[in-house]
Amino acid sequence: MVEFETLKDLIKLAKERKCKIGEIVWEYEAEVEGVSKEFVWNKMVKHWDVMKRSIENGLKENFELPCKIAKRYAKKFLKGKKFFLDDFMSKVVARALAVSEYNSAMGLVCAAPTAGSSGVIPAVIYSAAEKLNTSEREVILGLFTASGIGLIIANKASIAGSEAGCQAEVGAAAAMAAGALVELANGKPEQVDHAVAITLKSIMGLICDPVAGLVISPCIKRNAFGAVLAFLSAEMALTGVESLIPADEVIEAMDSVGRLMHPDLKETARGGIATTPTGERIREKVFKEGSLEPK
Amino acid sequence: MKRVESIFEIIGPIMVGPSSSHTAGAVRIGRIAREILGGKPVKATILFHGSFAETYRGHGSDKAVVGGILGFSTDDLRIRDALEIAEKEGLEIEFKTVDLGEEYHPNTIKIVLEDSSGLKVWIVGSSIGGGNIIVTEVNGFEADISGDYHALITIHEDKPGMVAKITAILAKYGINIARMKVSRVKRGALAFSSIEVDQEIPLEVVHEVEKVEGIKLVRALKPI
Ligand code: SF4
């Protein structure tokens, strides 16, 4: 029986068996649900298909955000002249924006770990696989790695903005993606730990403050930020940069920070940018005039 | 806090955006109302409480609940056009906002459904995060339905031995009970039970329970 409570457990198992973390998580899921490994694999492939389609649709499909205050930027960003980011990073950002925009407009997405943070993992994994020429098998294993990390975060801390702020949504998504990146690049299991720790430390305490309570601002752009952060942490870990604090302890810290966080900063839209003068004005416009009817 | 076991609660569900709680959760609550009604509704009154009352339009919760009432699942793109589809199907809908009181979860919906025979079902359900829901009231009875399991719902006369008879039928078919809730409004009048089980409930079970004297309503729900 494959059992793990912490990232340390997962890493130990992977080292003992000389395999990837993703393979352990794959086996765990089959056991815990009492189904075949093949069934689990095919289910993940289906989830990956939805992720890929959400990138495509987010860049292509003709849709509007369900709010006149917000525009779509994914395509514009992709085409715009860049001063600092290279082609690769620009694509990562555009793809994260695309999925998040598509999500806001009631598109079909795969929550990862939530709908609000659903842009990070598709953008990161898709772009990395494209660059490294990764086989589909390795990509799916990477998604298992990511979900194993997410499972630990969910049970030791939270993956809900209403419980622990955005560190638990975009933060968790970025940590999951960073860990998967390390495995896609054939890094060591310990490097997964460092990548997760570095990510969560960087985003520790991020509040959830959606303007007018809608999954638009700051959510969409935060997905792009989460995607970039995942590459940054993974690259650091892969070059041998280590986190002083192990990931499991960072996750515990994230949990206690989430508990200390004032309810106004946890999805209630009663703090942060939601209550800035502009944020309040948008809320009023949206709700009093009912100008929000999605097209 | 509920322990997450399956990784597909982390990567997944596949759903129509934008919000796990305000969209996917709303679909599931609507769907449970429909399943308890048991047939095609002709009239739906949807009351949004708390945060739902403030943000239901922006999150598409209105379309999501109606989608659920139409029988759609969380990943059905027809949710986007649920209001138009409802109109075409002759389902009359009324949206209202309501203050149910402090003791209710901020993301709570009350749904009243009616079919063409005049059968009326009303439920109160809360979306408690990540697409998870809990239905806390059915026709005024206290309930506890998560939508994660197969469940047998009954409304019956409040007299000794009723629940034992129902669980005996489940046992006869080898069905294992996971969670159970029994409640009543007034002693000796009507009572309600929701029994969440591990296996799919065959139609035979429903028919057998229906035959128990004093049973007013039986429904077998599937995980949603
Ligand atoms: S700000 Fe809140 S709603 Fe938006 S992505 Fe972050 S946690 Fe989700």
Side-chain angles (χ1 to χ4, degrees), chain A residues 116-117 161 165-166 169-170 207-210 215 218-219 222 267:
Chain A
S117 56
C166 202
E169 293 205 5
V170 169
I207 61 169
C208 170
D209 50 350
V215 191
C219 317
R222 268 189 197 164
E267 213 186 80

Side-chain angles (χ1 to χ4, degrees), chain B residues 91-109:
Chain B
L91 169 62
E92 186 191 322
I93 301 166
E94 193 183 354
F95 291 111
K96 286 181 185 167
T97 58
V98 68
D99 186 359
L100 294 169
E102 284 271 320
E103 66 273 28
Y104 286 85
H105 189 280
N107 295 338
T108 297
I109 315 175

Side-chain angles (χ1 to χ4, degrees), chain A residues 55-124:
Chain A
I55 295 177
E56 221 174 276
N57 292 336
L59 282 169
K60 257 200 256 152
E61 242 185 51
N62 201 8
F63 62 86
E64 263 181 64
L65 296 188
C67 191
K68 287 172 191 126
I69 49 135
K71 290 192 208 125
R72 289 174 63 191
Y73 289 114
K75 250 198 236 161
K76 186 176 172 137
F77 183 86
L78 193 61
K79 292 204 186 116
K81 173 177 151 57
K82 306 297 180 318
F83 294 89
F84 308 109
L85 293 192
D86 67 0
D87 213 39
F88 174 74
M89 237 25 192
S90 303
K91 275 191 199 156
V92 170
V93 169
R95 284 167 179 159
L97 292 175
V99 176
S100 297
E101 289 172 355
Y102 190 53
N103 173 61
S104 294
M106 296 189 87
L108 191 69
V109 298
C110 176
T114 60
S117 56
S118 60
V120 176
I121 290 176
V124 169

Side-chain angles (χ1 to χ4, degrees), chain A residues 135-168:
Chain A
S135 68
E136 172 160 293
R137 187 190 146 80
E138 293 298 316
V139 167
I140 301 300
L141 279 178
L143 290 172
F144 281 116
T145 309
S147 52
I149 295 164
L151 195 68
I152 291 163
I153 297 175
N155 287 325
K156 293 281 176 193
S158 168
I159 52 160
S162 57
E163 282 172 1
C166 202
Q167 58 168 358

